[in-house]
């Protein structure tokens, strides 16, 4: 049985029962339209529908088997004739998919999702409804290409046809297609004569759903403007698959599967460029290819336009095109060809926005930073938080903004260029720079509030309290303040460089002061130094003597952190002179304290102690408990450095009590850390371990990654000192991991050094050497000369053990030069001692004697515990005319405790 045998048999059975098509439809649940199509032989019968029809007709067993056999005879050839990729639809069925471009690249995850949906279409969605995928993404990202590629891949699964309609939701010069017009096209495509298409939208939609009922049809609705536009175009029963593309997120389609399409990853973007440009135009591995796709924002349309220019203009080289696209002002103009334009794509997206969203997009074009939150946008737009959030979310839904982090919004690079061009052409309020001034005021206030939780110095009355902006972030504790600073510091620096704000010296001075603590905490010392130098200049130009002095002090702390102690001391002295001239006792106290820290590091211990005593008295007179605690802490370090460990412990105990009285848990943890350090240096390992453990508990409670890292490093030193080198290595590794998590490069280098010492002690010299070299490189990169000195000393000591004595001598001499340049007498003494060991082993007894004498003198002046051992070796060298080179373990440099502790 073949041809239209099944249709004829169905018609005979229906007529024998005396039923119309409508009556059979009522009894079987198969639509009258489907019955009509089956009887006419225009559709392959679905076995599920055949069974329902046989049941409704009440066929006897013989007739039922004949009925089912006829259906199988029709269906089987159709299924076997359809190949997965190239099968033809049922004869007469519409096949309207556009051609599948050869330049389609990547998208394996997205394609897999769409193919999986196609497989589920016969059974419908989880709720038994038609399967719908709403594909959204910015203009030019390749949504249509993806839908068309998927459509061609699944054609064989939809033998009743593939319908395609461009809804022109974002087409320049063309209004979006109305649902009624779209239905007219779709019904004609399904074979409905024009005169039979109803006028009323709801009736037209009903006929459309009836025609699609019990069919397996693919419908691609491309370039949709809204959910309302596509809702009447959706089938009503399972079996069909609908693919919708739109630049807007169609959140009104509750039953749709959402699929957001992003720009291409690097590999796929370069592959698309090479394929589009043609053979030989983009050599494999050419570095300019990576830059070109980056300048195209990894956007497929932009890459295809760039590739077409390379393909059709043989005189245009890859590097030439890159050079042209580097100009931001002309980039969009270069990304245009005969009928494609990035500017036109973005313009149609812009035109579809409501007026308020258009206004905000223009304003965002003024924003000089990176990503932005609702509070900053509220300030920029002069509106409230709720309105700013609503408008931002609308732009996000239109795929004109991107959200990589919850609560923060940014432009795709090319959309940002378009927005900036719109901003340049816009006429603003009376003052064109008013939006930026509002933004600057907001950031000034927010940065000051964040700094209150980060700063460890008190600077009261630094500036008048600004008027609070309408929207402010929640900055109630240190964790929130630090997170805000990490999110916003790039924006703050971008604002500082903006020409419209460069003429406001108070803005530079204010942000310099409020960023100081954060930049030091994050190890951004070079950035801090440049900012504070700008603030010094701005304040001096404006005649702001107090701002100048504060900026000089902040600049001194940045120089201090990089080991440039001479420059730091000079800056502190200049700041001190101005604060004394102004009668600013608080500024003077801060300067005295910072200058005392430098004197301690340069070995001028008595002067350091005197300066800290002066600062302590000033802080007490001012009632500044935080300053008092910090001065006491550093006075204790001065006492310890002079050999008076008991006095140091007593002073640090007072600091601990003071912090506890203030309820300052961060300060409490720092004091516990310092007490542990003192006990460690004096040999009380058990007491040191207990204090380190207490400090660690507090730092963990405070979620202070840096504090945890520092304390783990201290515990590692203790385990190392008692010979438990494996435990020491584990602790230093944990400290290293924590420092890397916190982004603390100085802490990372210190941890690498501690881990290297543990590996060295375990006999793992190759690992130790690699760790020392990593630490040295990192210290050099961040400009930490004290750290560089420590690494050189450790490398020198390790090299001594390998018998490469001349290289070891060179390393000790390099360390000696650095120690002298940075005025670090302890490291100077150790370098002298190491060089003396090498000289003695190389047979230069005179050089060894002179170096060891200088080392003993320094150790003795500093009251160092190493003085006695060094003096004993010196005595032996003097009395023994030719002492043997002893295999004595070289002395290790200790941590830069006084330098690195805040």
């Amino acid at each position: 049985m073949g041809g239209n045998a099944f249709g004829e048999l169905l018609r005979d059975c229906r007529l024998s029962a005396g039923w119309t098509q409508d009556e059979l439809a009522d009894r079987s649940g198969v639509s009258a339209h489907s019955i009509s199509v089956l009887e006419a032989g225009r559709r392959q019968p679905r076995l599920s529908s055949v069974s329902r029809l046989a049941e409704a007709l009440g066929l006897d067993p013989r007739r039922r088997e004949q009925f089912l056999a006829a259906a199988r005879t029709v269906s089987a050839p159709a299924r076997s004739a359809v190949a997965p990729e190239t099968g033809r639809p049922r004869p007469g069925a519409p096949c309207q998919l556009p051609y599948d471009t050869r330049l389609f690249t990547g998208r394996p995850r997205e394609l897999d999702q769409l193919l999986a949906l196609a497989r589920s279409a016969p059974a419908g969605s989880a709720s038994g409804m038609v399967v719908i995928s709403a594909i959204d993404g910015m203009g030019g990202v390749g949504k249509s290409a993806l839908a068309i590629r998927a459509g061609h891949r699944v054609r064989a699964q939809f033998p009743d046809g593939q319908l395609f309609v461009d809804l022109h939701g974002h087409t320049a010069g063309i209004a979006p297609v109305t649902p009624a017009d779209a239905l007219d096209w779709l019904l004609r495509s399904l074979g409905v004569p024009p005169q039979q298409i109803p006028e009323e939208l709801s009736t037209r939609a009903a006929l459309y759903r009836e025609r699609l009922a019990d069919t397996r049809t693919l419908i691609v609705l491309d370039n949709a403007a809204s959910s309302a536009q596509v809702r009447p175009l959706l089938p009503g029963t399972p079996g069909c698959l609908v693919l919708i593309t739109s630049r807007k997120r169609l959140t009104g389609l509750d039953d749709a599967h959402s699929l957001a399409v992003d720009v291409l990853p690097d590999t796929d973007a370069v592959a698309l460029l090479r394929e589009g440009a043609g053979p030989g135009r983009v050599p494999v591995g050419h570095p300019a290819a990576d830059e070109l796709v980056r300048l195209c924002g990894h956007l497929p349309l932009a890459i295809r336009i760039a590739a077409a220019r390379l393909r059709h203009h043989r005189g245009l080289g890859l590097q030439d095109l890159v050079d042209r696209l580097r100009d931001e002002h002309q980039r969009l103009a270069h990304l245009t060809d005969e009928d494609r334009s990035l500017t036109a794509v973005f313009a149609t997206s812009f035109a579809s926005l409501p007026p308020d969203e258009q206004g905000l997009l223009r304003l965002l074009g003024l924003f000089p930073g990176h990503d932005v939150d609702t509070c900053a946008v509220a300030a920029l737009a002069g509106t409230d938080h709720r309105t700013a959030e609503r408008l931002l979310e609308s732009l996000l839904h239109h795929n004109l903004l991107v959200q990589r982090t919850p609560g923060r919004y940014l432009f795709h690079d090319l959309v940002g260029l378009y927005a900036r061009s719109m901003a340049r052409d816009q006429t603003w309020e009376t003052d064109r720079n008013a939006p930026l001034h509002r933004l600057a005021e907001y950031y000034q206030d927010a940065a000051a509030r964040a700094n209150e939780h980060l700063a460890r110095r008190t600077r009261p009355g630094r500036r008048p309290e600004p008027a609070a902006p309408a929207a402010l972030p929640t900055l109630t504790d240190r964790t929130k303040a630090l997170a805000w600073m990490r999110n916003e510091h790039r924006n703050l620096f971008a604002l500082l460089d903006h020409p419209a704000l460069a003429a406001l010296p108070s803005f530079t001075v204010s942000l310099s002061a409020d960023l100081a603590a954060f930049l030091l905490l994050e190890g951004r010392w070079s950035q801090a130094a440049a900012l504070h130098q700008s603030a010094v200049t701005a304040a001096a130009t404006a005649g702001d003597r107090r701002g100048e002095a504060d900026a000089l002090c902040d600049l001194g702390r940045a120089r201090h952190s990089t080991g440039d102690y001479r420059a730091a001391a000079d800056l502190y002295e200049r700041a001190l002179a101005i604060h004394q001239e102004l009668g600013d006792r608080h500024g003077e106290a801060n300067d005295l304290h910072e200058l005392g820290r430098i004197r301690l590091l340069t070995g001028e211990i008595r002067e350091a102690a005197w300066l800290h005593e002066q600062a302590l008295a000033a802080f007490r007179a001012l009632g500044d408990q935080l300053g008092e605690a910090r001065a006491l802490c550093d006075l204790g370090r001065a006492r310890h450095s002079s050999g008076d460990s008991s006095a140091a412990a007593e002073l640090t105990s007072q600091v601990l009590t003071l912090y506890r009285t203030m309820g300052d848990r961060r300060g409490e943890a720092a004091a516990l850390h310092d007490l542990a350090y003192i006990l460690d240096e004096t040999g009380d390992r058990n007491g040191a371990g207990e204090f380190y453990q207490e400090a660690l508990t507090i730092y963990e409670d405070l979620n202070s990654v840096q504090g945890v890292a520092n304390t783990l490093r201290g515990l590692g030193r203790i385990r190392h000192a008692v010979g438990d080198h494996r435990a020491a290595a584990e602790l230093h590794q944990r400290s290293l991991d924590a420092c890397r998590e916190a982004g603390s490069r100085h802490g990372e280098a210190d941890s690498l050094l501690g881990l290297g010492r543990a590996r060295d002690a375990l006999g793992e010299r190759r690992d130790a050497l690699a760790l020392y070299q990593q630490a040295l490189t990192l210290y050099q990169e961040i400009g930490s000369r004290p750290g560089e000195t420590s690494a050189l000393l450790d490398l020198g000591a390790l090299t001594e053990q390998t018998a490469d004595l001349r290289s070891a001598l060179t390393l000790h001499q390099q360390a000696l030069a650095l120690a002298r340049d940075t005025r670090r007498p302890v490291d100077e003494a150790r370098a002298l001692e190491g060089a003396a060991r090498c000289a003695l082993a190389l047979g230069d007894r005179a050089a060894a004697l002179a170096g060891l004498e200088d080392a003993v003198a320094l150790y003795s002046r500093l009251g160092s515990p190493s003085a006695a051992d060094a003096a004993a070796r010196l005595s032996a060298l003097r009395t023994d005319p030719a002492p043997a080179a002893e295999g004595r373990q070289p002395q290790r440099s200790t941590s830069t405790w006084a330098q690195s502790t805040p």
Side-chain angles (χ1 to χ4, degrees), residues 207-284:
L207 178 59
Y208 169 71
R209 290 192 295 272
E210 180 183 341
R211 287 284 176 159
L212 290 178
D214 297 311
T215 72
R216 295 185 61 183
T217 305
L218 171 67
I219 304 103
V220 179
L221 305 176
D222 190 38
N223 198 8
S226 65
S227 298
Q229 186 189 31
V230 301
R231 197 174 287 113
L233 314 182
L234 303 178
T237 56
C240 297
L241 172 66
V242 183
L243 301 181
I244 307 168
T245 72
S246 178
R247 295 186 194 177
K248 183 179 179 182
R249 296 180 184 174
L250 302 180
T251 55
L253 300 179
D254 294 335
D255 294 318
H257 298 265
S258 296
L259 177 58
V261 180
D262 205 344
V263 295
L264 291 171
D266 291 339
T267 303
D268 292 341
V270 173
L272 177 61
L273 176 68
R274 296 186 70 245
E275 183 69 19
R281 296 293 282 141
V282 181
V284 176

Side-chain angles (χ1 to χ4, degrees), residues 489-503:
H489 73 277
R490 286 185 297 176
N491 292 337
L492 297 176
F493 275 94
L495 276 173
L496 286 166
D497 290 336
H498 197 283
L501 301 174

